[in-house]
Amino acid sequence: MDDPFSELESENDPIMVAARLRRARQAKGTENDEFALQNEQNEAETAAPSSRHESPTPPRGGGAGPVAAAATDQWRHAAGSPPPTPPSCSRRLSSQPRLGIMVLGKTGDGKSRLLNDILGGNVFTQKASLKSQTETIEERDGFWAPLRPYMEHKDTFGCFVRVFDTPGFADSEHRDEKFIPMIQDKILHLARHPPALHCLLVVFKITTTQEQIFHTLDILASLWPKALPSEAEEEAKEEDDVRVPQGGGFWQNVILVFTHADLGKEYRYRDNKLTLKTTVARNIASRYGLAANLPMAFISTLSHTCRLLKGDGNCDCQRGNRYHADARRRLYEQVWQRHAAPLRLTTPSNPSAIR
């Protein structure tokens, strides 16, 4: 049976823990044990906090702050708002190299909200609507501190970024003919000229079907000249690095981000997540001729509300902040891995081959 757990997936993700428990029961022939089924979710929930440190471990090599989280790190309370970007970071924005991130996806799947989460403020217009709220490609500079809203002493851990918000595909006014060429021109311009573009975050709701995912990725594939490999792909081939998806000149810079993976609602999307990480991931690789599955990140941009404040029990801020911090750490790890391999067009031997 194929293993759905990637090396960057937390060993303690409640959904993945539950999947392992289910698989273990099946191996023992106890998949119909009602007692085991009733306790599956409890085991998954309790496994996570008991088997890891008080705080998640940040990725190696990224950011200006410490690279290892200490057990004494303090979790913030949900009632407190995250501090503003440190003045030292603000002063250096104009001179620091930036990681280029562009978001793509269907209207209403949470692209602008994701970028606002990355930048730590309401920078881009966001609204639950079938009509794209973004009609031009907007860009902003900022400092991405993925753990800052959830943990103390993580204000300077992160990196400088330049983010690009794009109009959504398939909006209610059928403006793809206007928006898609605009997005293509921007991607190709960034691939030829600075500033560099390092990541294409393709955003979906976690409930998105495989057919809808294929439709969006087909649009993405059409944006890149098929006859032209990128410099990053050429380097990957020379190094024989099978961990980097290859086959389309830009796939090694693509990360699939699934939103609305909200804490406390795992029962609504747990089967979707398992299907995405196994069947859908394999089908994507097969459809686009990739040597490896595209990386996936699962995230919730819904703010956690403390149960104590709601009068619904004891404070659960540590649990909520750990969940959000882990999700953002995984996304940050995936993005940071590409900081040395920006999207670049190579010079074709036959320019007419580029469509």
Side-chain angles (χ1 to χ4, degrees):
M1 179 177 179
D2 292 318
D3 191 346
F5 314 112
S6 69
E7 61 182 0
L8 289 176
E9 179 70 51
S10 170
E11 293 267 334
N12 306 290
D13 183 330
I15 288 181
M16 310 313 283
V17 170
R20 289 198 296 272
L21 292 173
R22 187 187 304 116
R23 188 170 57 181
R25 287 199 310 274
Q26 291 173 346
K28 296 177 181 179
T30 59
E31 60 268 27
N32 296 320
D33 187 335
E34 292 184 5
F35 179 79
L37 290 172
Q38 291 173 354
N39 285 278
E40 178 184 277
Q41 185 63 36
N42 291 336
E43 292 179 39
E45 290 288 346
T46 56
S50 63
S51 59
R52 47 184 167 180
H53 293 297
E54 186 71 12
S55 58
T57 303
R60 298 178 181 178
V67 296
T72 56
D73 285 335
Q74 299 295 315
W75 297 95
R76 299 190 190 279
H77 192 274
S81 59
T85 302
S88 59
C89 295
S90 299
R91 288 196 299 267
R92 290 182 292 162
L93 269 177
S94 60
S95 60
Q96 289 291 324
R98 303 172 184 86
L99 207 60
I101 302 172
M102 179 180 287
V103 294
L104 302 160
K106 186 180 176 182
T107 297
D109 280 359
K111 301 184 301 300
S112 299
R113 185 179 290 273
L114 175 62
L115 289 183
N116 285 339
D117 188 271
I118 288 175
L119 296 180
N122 293 322
V123 180
F124 297 100
T125 301
Q126 57 188 44
K127 182 180 179 182
S129 172
L130 293 177
K131 176 183 177 182
S132 178
Q133 300 300 302
T134 306
E135 298 188 3
T136 61
I137 298 175
E138 303 176 13
E139 61 183 84
R140 297 288 189 278
D141 293 340
F143 184 78
W144 184 14
L147 305 181
R148 178 169 57 91
Y150 311 102
M151 300 177 64
E152 301 284 356
H153 315 303
K154 296 298 180 183
D155 294 354
T156 58
F157 174 81
C159 65
F160 293 93
V161 293
R162 172 167 289 169
V163 298
F164 301 87
D165 193 14
T166 62
F169 302 147
D171 78 330
S172 60
E173 297 188 2
H174 308 288
R175 293 178 289 178
D176 281 359
E177 291 185 1
K178 171 185 175 182
F179 291 154
I180 291 177
M182 178 198 311
I183 296 171
Q184 181 182 39
D185 289 345
K186 187 65 174 181
I187 291 177
L188 296 182
H189 175 79
L190 292 172
R192 293 188 179 102
H193 312 284
L197 182 60
H198 298 84
C199 282
L200 297 172
L201 303 184
V202 189
V203 181
F204 305 95
K205 288 182 181 178
I206 196 168
T207 54
T208 304
T209 66
Q210 176 175 271
E211 290 72 21
Q212 292 171 324
I213 292 174
F214 283 165
H215 176 71
T216 297
L217 294 183
D218 285 346
I219 294 175
L220 175 62
S222 72
L223 302 180
W224 191 261
K226 293 182 179 179
L228 196 59
S230 68
E231 290 180 0
E233 184 181 26
E234 292 296 328
E235 292 174 0
K237 288 180 179 179
E238 292 176 2
E239 297 174 2
D240 195 25
D241 186 356
V242 297
R243 295 171 300 173
V244 179
Q246 301 171 15
F250 65 94
W251 291 107
Q252 65 279 345
N253 297 89
V254 172
I255 300 172
L256 307 184
V257 181
F258 293 90
T259 61
H260 296 75
D262 299 332
L263 179 64
K265 299 179 181 178
E266 294 88 349
Y267 65 94
R268 294 183 180 178
Y269 60 80
R270 59 185 303 169
D271 291 337
N272 294 70
K273 183 174 181 179
L274 285 170
T275 301
L276 288 168
K277 292 179 68 65
T278 53
T279 305
V280 176
R282 291 194 302 268
N283 290 344
I284 290 173
S286 175
R287 183 182 182 92
Y288 301 103
L290 309 181
N293 292 343
L294 291 178
M296 295 181 178
F298 299 84
I299 195 168
S300 170
T301 54
L302 183 66
S303 299
H304 175 70
T305 303
C306 177
R307 284 186 176 179
L308 184 62
L309 297 180
K310 294 188 296 184
D312 189 31
N314 296 325
C315 175
D316 62 344
C317 288
Q318 179 171 326
R319 175 173 175 262
N321 285 341
R322 176 182 282 120
Y323 179 85
H324 286 292
D326 277 357
R328 283 149 183 80
R329 172 183 56 83
R330 293 173 199 150
L331 176 59
Y332 184 87
E333 286 174 342
Q334 292 286 2
V335 173
W336 181 257
Q337 283 185 0
R338 290 152 178 80
H339 76 281
L343 192 61
R344 283 284 182 264
L345 282 170
T346 56
T347 303
S349 57
N350 180 16
S352 62
I354 304 177
R355 57 179 183 82

